[in-house]
Amino acid sequence: MNTKRISKGLMVLAAGCAFHAPAMAGGLERGGYNIDLLFDQGRFAAESAVTYVNPQRKVKNVRDVDATDGLGANGIGGGDDSADDSESYWVPRVGVKAGIGDSVDCMFDYSEPWGAHTKPGADWLGANENIETKVESENYAATCSYRFDAGPGQLRLIGGVFYQEVYGFKERLVVPDAATPFGNGVGRLDLEGDGWGWRAGVAYEIPEYAFRASLVYNSEVNLNDITGTLDLSQVNGTSPDVYGSQKMPDVVELKVQSGIAPGWLAFGSVKWTDWSQLQKVRFYCDDPSVTAACLRPGGVTTLDLGYRDGWTISGGVGHKFNEQWSGAVSVTWDRGTSQGFGTQTDTWTFGAGASYTPNQNVEVRLAGAIGILTGGSSSTVTLDGETYGQRVNYEFDDDLVAAISTSVKVRF
């Protein structure tokens, strides 16, 4: 078996198995950014992939520590002291790649890089912090590269742009039932924003040894015109329009993979994500006269995140069994982004996958992963002069997260 066969059969598989790590990373990360299709050896290629992730985060020993908006889930002391905090989700990705001449490759793709969905419900003692929060995103990207001979291999220069939409909502108990004649005291914040970003990078490849090293920078996306509505119709009968701004994080990722023996490939990656940009996101009323809450100098409401930067390190090995079947295993560590507030502690993930190539034009991949969401606690903390977790405190044990992904690639 020659090394070019290693390259063709395993280099893509390595990326496929490592794909689970960003789907279970910290911050608001879901699918993250993925440009592996750009390196496909075919002249034209199209790929469709989907990952299902099922986190099992549970919180316990919940304590309502803010009496100003009532106590308990109903504002007068009711509610459970534990809750299921996480919801399962899907991460799709679709891309097409074309080779132009002997040196240029271009890729166009759709992905959902960011997202979150927590739904502890209205019956726990932390309803004044969160009943349900959901964030979704859509990313449309164009990425090209130019490669040329350099030493024993080829140097590739990478550049691209992407357009991103981010939207979502949050519901929580604002005042106790008894304090309002309008309804149940629950407020809802709906938001949407969009912006542009760019990427630049470099890669070096030696096909003879199935070697590739790439370093890619993805810029921040400035959502400088987030708009939405704060629905307080069940609280005081008002629904003011709101606005705010936030930057989604920039990302730097280093990936390396190389043939280490006939039929064997080793791969690894290190990624830094600037989640510390997301701290306390403030929103203001378009018309401050709508309700007295609009006159607060710190904004009518905030999204409290308090993140620190994220680091993700992954490594593994792949093996080509025959002309049709290959397999790989990987392990990933992700540093949690929470700083004493929230549930995003360190995550360890173990993945395995298989690739079936019935002919040179079709490749089918199936992979799975299981991970450990490490335990911890969320309490009232002060970060850079801002207070977080002032409404509810709680604890959580080590929990499991599982994922399965599948993809189909067609070359023509």
Side-chain angles (χ1 to χ4, degrees), residues 2 9 13 68 83 90 117 121 132 257 260 279 294 299 329 371 373 402:
N2 60 40
L13 179 64
T68 61
W90 295 87
H117 193 190
E132 182 176 9
Q257 52 196 52
I260 53 176
Q279 297 296 312
C294 291
V329 294
L373 308 171

Side-chain angles (χ1 to χ4, degrees), residues 188-191 227-232 238-243:
R188 177 182 171 109
L189 176 66
D190 285 277
L191 300 167
T227 59
T229 302
L230 179 60
D231 185 355
L232 298 175
T238 66
S239 295
D241 292 330
V242 297
Y243 67 91

Side-chain angles (χ1 to χ4, degrees), residues 2-213:
N2 60 40
T3 52
K4 290 187 178 180
R5 288 290 189 181
I6 298 176
S7 174
K8 203 165 187 177
L10 292 178
M11 290 179 79
V12 174
L13 179 64
C17 290
F19 174 72
H20 292 292
M24 291 181 273
L28 300 177
E29 187 152 341
R30 283 281 174 87
Y33 298 121
N34 188 321
I35 63 168
D36 290 332
L37 182 62
L38 185 68
F39 299 98
D40 188 88
Q41 296 177 344
R43 184 66 177 272
F44 302 98
E47 182 179 33
S48 177
V50 63
T51 298
Y52 172 75
V53 182
N54 185 21
Q56 299 292 317
R57 178 62 88 193
K58 303 177 186 298
V59 298
K60 64 177 185 178
N61 300 329
V62 181
R63 303 171 299 283
D64 185 344
V65 295
D66 183 6
T68 61
D69 52 6
L71 291 172
N74 61 358
I76 55 176
D80 297 329
D81 66 354
S82 63
D84 294 333
D85 189 57
S86 57
E87 292 288 302
S88 58
Y89 55 89
W90 295 87
V91 184
R93 179 169 51 86
V94 179
V96 295
K97 174 257 182 181
I100 304 172
D102 296 328
S103 303
V104 177
D105 296 289
C106 286
M107 181 187 78
F108 303 90
D109 71 289
Y110 166 85
S111 63
E112 298 180 5
W114 319 125
H117 193 190
T118 60
K119 191 180 179 181
D123 297 324
W124 72 307
L125 292 173
N128 60 346
E129 174 67 35
N130 183 33
I131 293 176
E132 182 176 9
T133 299
K134 190 173 186 179
V135 177
E136 299 178 274
S137 66
E138 297 183 77
N139 193 79
Y140 306 87
T143 307
C144 291
S145 69
Y146 174 75
R147 50 193 165 89
F148 53 91
D149 293 338
Q154 288 191 321
L155 186 66
R156 186 188 294 253
L157 305 179
I158 301 167
V161 297
F162 46 88
Y163 169 73
Q164 199 167 106
E165 298 176 342
V166 181
Y167 49 93
F169 68 87
K170 178 173 184 175
E171 293 182 347
R172 72 175 184 88
L173 181 70
V174 178
V175 298
D177 295 1
T180 173
F182 292 96
N184 57 17
V186 173
R188 177 182 171 109
L189 176 66
D190 285 277
L191 300 167
E192 61 180 6
D194 58 13
W196 289 84
W198 55 272
R199 63 171 51 107
V202 62
Y204 189 70
E205 301 162 282
I206 307 177
E208 182 181 359
Y209 301 107
F211 174 84
R212 181 199 305 145

Side-chain angles (χ1 to χ4, degrees), residues 10 23 54 102 182-183 244 251-252 279 282 302 304-305 332 360 410:
L10 292 178
N54 185 21
D102 296 328
F182 292 96
V251 181
V252 179
Q279 297 296 312
R282 302 183 183 278
T302 63
D304 293 352
L305 299 172
T332 301
Q360 62 181 359
V410 178

